[in-house]
Amino acid sequence: MVGASLAGLSAARALRERGYDGRLVVIGDEPHRPYDRPPLSKEFLAGAIGEGDLALERDDEELGAEWVLGVRATGLDRTERAVRLADGREIRADGVVVATGAAARTLPGTDGLAGVHVLRTVDDARALRDDLARGGRLVVIGGGFIGAEVASTAYALGLDVTVIEAAPTPLAAPLGEVMGGVVSALHADHGVRLLCGVGVKGLSGERRVDAVLLEDGRSVPADTVVVGVGARPCVDWLEGSGVALDNGVKCGADGRTSVAGVVAVGDCANWYDPRTGIHRRVEHWTGALERPAAAVATLLAHGATEPGVPRPPYFWSDQYGVKIQFVGHAAGADSVTVEEGSTDDRSFLAVYRRAGRPVAALGMNQPRLFTRWRKQFTATAS
């Protein structure tokens, strides 16, 4: 297993559950055992929970795995089926699970400037938490879910918060223009400034950031900056290995790659979606939890399996005390209707349809009704 986060751990568990009793090696570039990432922008960032609360392994869990942590994979020899490590070691295997995840994108020219953060790892979150404790003015660059959750947490901590989004409407890509506008209105509801439709030219400051410079000439004062402009799949180490790469590791519907004995899971995996006929890279917690089972089945069967249909992607977000849940794909929907509640009250259930057929659902503070809709989508995909 190359990758020691949720996807790698889920694959290791699936191997043992399917009766694999051979040698199992888990490689991770971080020094930490697998931990949960969603709380990093919420409870952990707010100081409500500690690092011990993030652990994904159960107290009584024994996978019989060898943990090779704090070292990065640098290459894959397809002939020898060997993973090369940055410390010079090589680990040979009969099967390889690629679960190297994704890395947060950064702003060019910001290296070494204090007060500038990304949020992907527990170390990132710890450093950001220390800076937020200083108070003052926080500017979040990027109005996606991570940026919105950081803004929400910082608002609750008493900081002065501004969110900058280059697109005209935040969250339009995952939720569509209309519902993206509704969800992002939570910022204004709580007095958080939201600047849309303007890009960032750069940052100012000598040793520490003091402002964000916008492309329209404005300057936004900042004591701390969080860059939340997406993530890139960590697949550079596979260049030249023969594993097909296209926005991550290109996979079939069962996780198999172009190289026999190699499967991919998690944020780095660009799986084929038979419902739509296209490949999708799904950066959601549930995908990292559920899809490794199918990939492991493929690995153990040496590829001789019938690929199933992956469950529709599901994700959630907690912002300003509101629970946001989404299932399906908003892209391609030709209508979205509110089935229950009111968008003005920030408590509703909306259904996306294409040619009259439901393709996605969004809930804000409607967990019971949303759960029923999610079960319908899952049953349809089975």
Side-chain angles (χ1 to χ4, degrees), residues 1-5 7-9 11 27 97-101 237 263-268:
M1 333 298 298
V2 188
S5 192
L9 176 62
I27 302 165
V97 178
V98 178
T100 40
W237 68 283
V263 297
V265 296
D267 291 358
C268 69

Side-chain angles (χ1 to χ4, degrees), residues 152-342:
S152 170
T153 300
Y155 161 81
L157 292 173
L159 279 80
D160 177 276
V161 183
T162 300
V163 178
I164 300 170
E165 170 58 49
T169 304
L171 303 173
L175 302 182
E177 292 281 345
V178 174
M179 290 302 160
V182 171
V183 172
S184 60
L186 286 169
H187 296 303
D189 290 350
H190 295 81
V192 170
R193 288 182 297 279
L194 176 61
L195 306 179
C196 297
V198 59
V200 171
K201 183 178 180 180
L203 306 180
S204 70
E206 293 186 6
R207 291 186 176 87
R208 185 178 182 88
V209 66
D210 58 31
V212 177
L213 308 177
L214 305 183
E215 290 180 342
D216 63 7
R218 284 180 291 173
S219 176
V220 182
D223 300 300
T224 304
V225 170
V226 173
V227 180
V229 293
R232 57 172 181 80
C234 296
V235 295
D236 294 351
W237 68 283
L238 291 170
E239 294 283 355
S241 67
V243 174
L245 304 177
D246 179 13
N247 185 30
V249 179
K250 194 172 184 179
C251 309
D254 52 5
R256 77 182 71 194
T257 72
S258 58
V259 172
V262 179
V263 297
V265 296
D267 291 358
C268 69
N270 192 7
W271 279 44
Y272 176 72
D273 185 347
R275 286 185 298 267
T276 59
I278 63 175
H279 283 77
R280 297 183 187 274
R281 191 166 63 83
V282 178
E283 294 184 27
H284 301 317
W285 189 92
T286 48
L289 178 70
E290 297 172 351
R291 292 191 175 186
V296 161
T298 299
L299 197 62
L300 293 178
H302 304 289
T305 61
E306 275 296 319
V309 178
R311 292 184 181 186
Y314 161 73
F315 62 86
W316 77 94
S317 179
D318 297 298
Q319 302 172 28
Y320 305 103
V322 176
K323 188 169 190 65
I324 302 158
Q325 296 170 284
F326 187 86
V327 63
H329 298 287
D334 52 37
S335 70
V336 55
T337 57
V338 175
E339 308 279 319
E340 183 74 28
S342 165

